[in-house]
Structure formats: C-alpha cells, structure tokens
Amino acid sequence: MAAAAAGLGWGWFEAGWPRFERVEVPLAGLPPELAGLRIAHLSDFHLGVPSRGRLATERAVEWVEERRPDLVAVTGDLLTRSAGEPLLRSLMSRLAAVAPTFAILGNHDFAISRDPLADRSPMQDLSPARLLSDEGVRVDLRGERVYIAGADPRSRWVRSRRQPSELAVDDADLSILLLHYPRLVDRVAPGVFDLVLAGHMHGGQINLPYPGGRLHLAHLGARFTRGLYRLPATTMHVSGGLGTTFVPFRFAARPEAAELVLQQA
C-alpha cells in the first residue's frame, strides 16, 4: 500500500513539473534570413478538470513570456471541459501579446475520446490568437513569407474534410503545418510542408521504463511519442504536452514545452 501511495504521489507531482527544452531544427532550403527563428511549441492543455496540468500550463506560458519567441504554436486539446474556457482565453491572450500565436483544436475539444470527463467544447475564436481549422495564413517574418496551416482533427476520420496536403501553398519561404495527431503526417505529401508540429501523445503519459527504452502504456506501439523526427516527407516535432487525460498523473513523462530554433540544414 505504501508503495502504491508513493507511486500515485509521484505521478501527481510529476504532472505539474514541466520541462522546458530548446531544440535545434535543421531544415533543408531554409532561407538564411530565417536561420535562428524561434517557435514556442505547446500542446494538450486539457484545461477544465482537476489536474496539476493546469499548473504546468501556466508555468509554460510564463516561460514563453520570458523567452519571447518569434512565433507560438499550440497543437490542440485545449480543453477537456468547457469550465476551463476563461483560463484558456486568458493564457492565449498572454501568448499572443508575446508573438503571433496560432492554435488548432484536438479530439478532446470535440469530446472524441473515451475520457469520461470530456465534454464537447470546440472554440470558434481565440482572438487575439488565431485559431486555424483546415486553413492557413501567411505572415511576414524577417522579410520572408511564412505560411502556417492548421488541420482540423476530424480529418483523421472524415475523408471528405480537407486533408493535410490540401492545405499547402507553393509561394511560401517557410511552410509550417499544425496537426493534433502525429500519425496524420503519413498523409503529408513530400516537400509540401517544411515543418510539422503535433501533439496528442503526452509523451506516453504513463510510462514503464526498462533498460534501453520505455513502454508507453497509454499509446502502445505508437511510432511517434515526443521529440524531433526526420521523415522522408518532412521534419516533425511532437510535443509531450502539458495536461493529463483519464487520470491526473504522469509517470516518466514530464509535461513539456519546447522552443524550436530553426537552422539551415
């Protein structure tokens, strides 16, 4: 019993103990003017339920305010319950005051989940941040054209919705795609997006370490869990996320936010 209580106590503590990382991202064909561009990547707040993930999210926003990146991207699962909407709006406003901020929704925002706590709470607008749903926008950074597109998570099941590659343009100096599900990168045609940012996985959330690796109990057999992946079609960064689902614990899967620093390959 004591060991079980200690394990639960640690899991509760870890859920509010965020890790902040600086990740260098080499990209082929990156214009010299965009070398060193910094993108804060956050994901999976899951606000609205009792969890130390709220504390991790608030600390991550404070960290972004200190770092002052060039762009901020948030890749879905903003809410688990609509009760978290006031806090979400406050945090997104703070991020947008730092840098152009773009977000997408995740499956929990539509209550597409086995999580019994989830209610349907898809936001329509997050001004002054820009919420993207199967659309993209162009921004000028350092004199270069940067295109940011965001996919609706329902495109995973509904093939009549616009698929990731359909969101691409051919007149950008840097193209970035926001996905919630990392596995949708398989639907990205080679060369249409320079960088893909995704979430959903929580780094496994409940992991069992073993010599040489970890067993991701929440996502057994997943190809992408967290970190940077160099793929034939593109380069993808998967966030470990900040909140929790089903249970308010994390084991060997600390919440995290990342500052991606773009470099010429």
Side-chain angles (χ1 to χ4, degrees):
M1 289 294 293
L8 292 175
W10 174 260
W12 174 257
F13 168 77
E14 186 173 323
W17 183 32
R19 170 174 51 215
F20 304 124
E21 293 191 325
R22 182 182 187 273
V23 182
E24 292 195 0
V25 182
L27 296 178
L30 183 72
E33 292 78 7
L34 296 179
L37 189 82
R38 295 179 299 127
I39 303 171
H41 183 195
L42 286 65
S43 195
D44 296 84
F45 298 170
H46 290 284
L47 298 174
V49 292
S51 170
R52 273 172 53 85
R54 168 177 175 158
L55 175 61
T57 300
E58 291 174 329
R59 287 179 174 174
V61 171
E62 293 172 359
W63 178 71
V64 172
E65 289 175 320
E66 294 171 0
R67 299 296 298 172
R68 306 198 67 80
D70 300 291
L71 282 174
V72 179
V74 185
T75 49
D77 277 359
L78 310 178
L79 297 173
T80 292
R81 297 194 66 82
S82 54
E85 180 178 339
L87 176 59
L88 173 65
R89 290 191 177 279
S90 173
L91 296 177
M92 295 301 290
S93 294
R94 288 169 58 185
L95 291 172
V98 172
T101 297
F102 302 90
I104 58 172
L105 299 178
N107 59 300
H108 269 77
D109 299 302
F110 292 98
I112 304 172
S113 169
R114 295 185 299 272
D115 188 340
L117 296 178
D119 68 3
R120 183 178 172 84
S121 49
M123 308 292 294
Q124 301 294 320
D125 179 77
L126 279 173
S127 297
R130 178 67 184 268
L131 184 63
L132 300 172
S133 178
D134 289 342
E135 59 185 327
V137 295
R138 295 170 175 82
V139 295
D140 183 87
L141 291 175
R142 303 182 182 181
E144 301 295 311
R145 295 166 298 180
V146 177
Y147 175 72
I148 302 103
D152 188 296
R154 293 171 292 181
S155 63
R156 175 179 170 182
W157 299 280
V158 183
R159 290 297 184 122
S160 60
R161 300 194 68 89
R162 297 183 70 187
Q163 294 300 302
S165 288
E166 298 177 53
L167 304 176
V169 298
D170 58 8
D171 62 347
D173 300 302
L174 172 66
S175 290
I176 301 170
L177 174 64
L178 309 186
L179 295 176
H180 183 61
Y181 295 110
R183 69 176 64 182
L184 287 183
V185 75
D186 292 335
R187 302 184 193 174
V188 176
V192 298
F193 284 102
D194 302 297
L195 179 63
V196 173
L197 306 181
H200 183 62
M201 304 304 293
H202 297 200
Q205 186 167 319
I206 307 295
N207 293 328
L208 180 63
Y210 62 87
R214 296 180 181 182
L215 182 64
H216 306 291
L217 299 183
H219 296 282
L220 290 171
R223 287 188 296 145
F224 311 114
T225 51
R226 63 170 293 271
L228 193 66
Y229 298 87
R230 301 293 299 274
L231 306 170
T234 187
T235 296
M236 178 171 67
H237 182 263
V238 179
S239 171
L242 291 158
T244 59
T245 58
F246 293 94
V247 293
F249 308 117
R250 282 179 177 253
F251 291 96
R254 286 175 61 186
E256 67 176 34
E259 180 183 76
L260 310 180
V261 184
L262 306 190
Q263 304 289 351
Q264 291 181 294

